[in-house]
Amino acid sequence: MIDPLVRPPIVKQCELLNLSRSTYYYAPKGESDKSLKLMDKIDRIYMEHPFMGSRQITATLWHSGIEVNRKRVQRLMRLMGISSIAPSPHTTKPKVGHHKYPYLLRDLAIEHPNQVWATDITYIPMSKGFMYLVAILDLHSRKVLSWRISNTMTVDFCIQALREAIRVHGIPEIFNTDQGSQFTADEFTSELVSHGIMISMDGKGRAIDNVFVERLWRTVKYEHVYINPANDGLELRVGLKSYFEWYNTTRPHSSLDNMTPDEIYYLTQETDGLQVA
């Protein structure tokens, strides 16, 4: 029996919880309570109207009685990692050193699990502070294959989520992302290339190309995050773990004829005789 008074080292605790040390040591971002409340308002507006840019969001805030200048809204939106899905004059300007991958999902019939996976990052508000969530989704079944949270938008936690998804569920034919710096980084794309996975990337500034992940963000925020604000990174992780288990195994999806993602994912594999690596 383990002595409850003897705690294993923090590194070991994180390994047992499959938790990054950055999450364990999470300290709230250096934003005032007023800014955090404003970011929560911006996030909710954006979830409802992702086509809105900083100008329209600022106007919406003013109409709701919140007096704020556009520059502040722009700064907070950059910090949150969000922008309007509407094309801007510079949407076709390539990033220096960024290999341009084509968008492979247009007119593609997605007919079985592990045919197409997709990923994205979203801002997650907490009682005090905020974190970022990355998730990998199987587009045929809508199953959340893996996810990670982090207090920074670096490529590391995206790679961790990718490796877990491959280890547990095998290798997809196509992997779709946006053109965010995390997903265009050599460290991330080389992981995909090493497994022979075809890389698909949304048109820059076109979140609509990754619409299924955008719908996931709206669902998880309205069904869990907004009504269960976490106090810290550990509480957030425990809450999301419980939510995603329910989402995959129990929550019926109207787009899946009221079946669950797990039912579609595993039933289709059994029917088609697919093998998981």
Side-chain angles (χ1 to χ4, degrees):
M1 181 179 291
I2 299 175
D3 186 342
L5 298 179
V6 178
R7 300 181 66 183
I10 290 173
V11 172
K12 186 63 177 177
Q13 292 181 54
C14 291
E15 288 178 355
L16 292 172
L17 289 171
N18 196 22
L19 185 72
S20 68
R21 276 184 286 173
S22 65
T23 301
Y24 183 91
Y25 289 116
Y26 172 75
K29 291 283 187 178
E31 294 292 334
S32 67
D33 288 344
K34 187 175 181 179
S35 286
L36 293 173
K37 289 178 181 177
L38 182 56
M39 291 164 73
D40 181 69
K41 294 284 187 183
I42 292 171
D43 189 53
R44 291 170 186 257
I45 293 171
Y46 184 78
M47 283 293 102
E48 289 291 338
H49 310 289
F51 55 83
M52 282 190 173
S54 60
R55 187 185 304 277
Q56 289 177 300
I57 289 178
T58 302
T60 302
L61 290 168
W62 272 80
H63 278 293
S64 66
I66 301 174
E67 298 182 5
V68 59
N69 64 60
R70 185 184 175 196
K71 286 186 177 179
R72 187 178 184 191
V73 171
Q74 288 175 321
R75 182 184 73 82
L76 293 178
M77 287 179 67
R78 286 194 297 270
L79 183 61
M80 296 163 68
I82 61 175
S83 61
S84 169
I85 65 173
S88 71
H90 301 291
T91 55
T92 58
K93 184 178 179 180
K95 178 183 175 182
V96 176
H98 164 203
H99 179 78
K100 295 179 67 174
Y101 291 92
Y103 181 64
L104 303 178
L105 307 190
R106 188 168 290 108
D107 300 324
L108 176 69
I110 302 175
E111 300 173 330
H112 59 79
N114 294 350
Q115 180 182 358
V116 181
W117 291 359
T119 191
D120 200 1
I121 299 171
T122 193
Y123 157 90
I124 300 291
M126 301 198 302
S127 295
K128 292 185 178 180
F130 59 93
M131 297 193 79
Y132 301 103
L133 166 67
V134 64
I136 295 178
L137 190 71
D138 175 72
L139 295 195
H140 175 74
S141 64
R142 312 292 197 272
K143 178 177 173 63
V144 177
L145 304 171
S146 67
W147 57 276
R148 286 289 189 279
I149 55 174
S150 174
N151 61 346
T152 58
M153 281 201 296
T154 60
V155 69
D156 298 354
F157 81 125
C158 301
I159 292 176
Q160 289 173 7
L162 174 62
R163 288 174 175 171
E164 180 187 347
I166 290 175
R167 176 177 59 81
V168 176
H169 300 289
I171 299 172
E173 298 170 19
I174 300 172
F175 196 97
N176 189 72
T177 74
D178 63 21
Q179 295 191 45
S181 59
Q182 299 82 10
F183 306 125
T184 58
D186 289 340
E187 300 97 313
F188 192 87
T189 56
S190 64
E191 286 280 336
L192 299 172
V193 171
S194 68
H195 290 286
I197 301 168
M198 291 186 287
I199 299 173
S200 169
M201 288 189 176
D202 305 340
K204 193 167 177 60
R206 285 181 51 86
I208 196 66
D209 288 344
N210 216 1
V211 64
F212 295 117
V213 184
E214 295 298 323
R215 288 175 183 170
L216 172 65
W217 295 154
R218 191 175 190 280
T219 300
V220 69
K221 287 185 179 183
Y222 278 100
E223 293 183 352
H224 177 70
V225 174
Y226 292 156
I227 59 177
N228 298 289
N231 292 309
D232 54 42
L234 183 58
E235 185 175 314
L236 176 63
R237 185 189 183 280
V238 171
L240 286 174
K241 183 176 186 294
S242 177
Y243 176 81
F244 283 132
E245 287 176 354
W246 173 78
Y247 176 93
N248 281 334
T249 65
T250 307
R251 182 188 186 278
H253 290 237
S254 58
S255 61
L256 302 176
D257 291 330
N258 289 324
M259 295 179 71
T260 69
D262 270 7
E263 286 175 327
I264 295 294
Y265 185 82
Y266 294 113
L267 177 63
T268 309
Q269 284 186 326
E270 291 173 4
T271 303
D272 293 349
L274 299 178
Q275 298 295 320
V276 176

